[in-house]
Amino acid sequence: MEYVIAFFKALGMFLVGLTAFRIMGSQAVGRLTDFDLVIVIAIGALIAKPLADPELNPLISIVAISALVIAQIVISWLSLKSIFFERIVTGKTIKVIENGAIIMKV
């Protein structure tokens, strides 16, 4: 019986994670900002926690995941509206190639 419970708990947490990522919007892994990457790692850890600890209520992880999704949406919206927040979230780009040549000086 505990295997059946573990199976459905894993399936449920997978659906929670999938829903969270769909709400946040899909991006290619190479295009993730540092902030988005931290959110992805944190959500992954929160999904795994109730699966590894049968004593932990999955609802606690779902609430924490929801908080991270809301934070990601708010920070992304602020970065669209404010150059200050955009610089904090995305950082400053560095040009490494110009006219097909690698720039050695930074």
Side-chain angles (χ1 to χ4, degrees):
M1 184 65 177
E2 67 187 59
Y3 295 110
V4 174
I5 292 171
F7 175 81
F8 284 109
K9 192 186 281 188
L11 187 60
M13 292 308 294
F14 171 76
L15 292 174
V16 167
L18 187 61
T19 303
F21 290 123
R22 295 292 294 164
I23 289 171
M24 290 187 318
S26 305
Q27 290 190 33
V29 174
R31 298 193 61 197
L32 290 176
T33 64
D34 296 341
F35 179 76
D36 291 332
L37 182 61
V38 169
I39 294 289
V40 167
I41 292 169
I43 289 175
L46 286 168
I47 289 171
K49 192 70 172 163
L51 300 178
D53 185 2
E55 302 287 321
L56 186 64
N57 185 352
L59 188 58
I60 295 170
S61 287
I62 292 170
V63 169
I65 289 169
S66 299
L68 289 175
V69 168
I70 290 168
Q72 192 273 341
I73 290 170
V74 168
I75 296 293
S76 294
W77 182 81
L78 286 172
S79 69
L80 287 173
K81 299 295 181 185
S82 167
I83 293 173
F84 173 75
F85 275 103
E86 181 183 12
R87 290 241 169 107
I88 289 174
V89 173
T90 60
K92 185 179 178 185
T93 57
I94 299 173
K95 190 186 299 188
V96 292
I97 297 178
E98 186 173 23
N99 297 329
I102 298 174
I103 300 172
M104 300 304 280
K105 293 183 257 177
V106 179

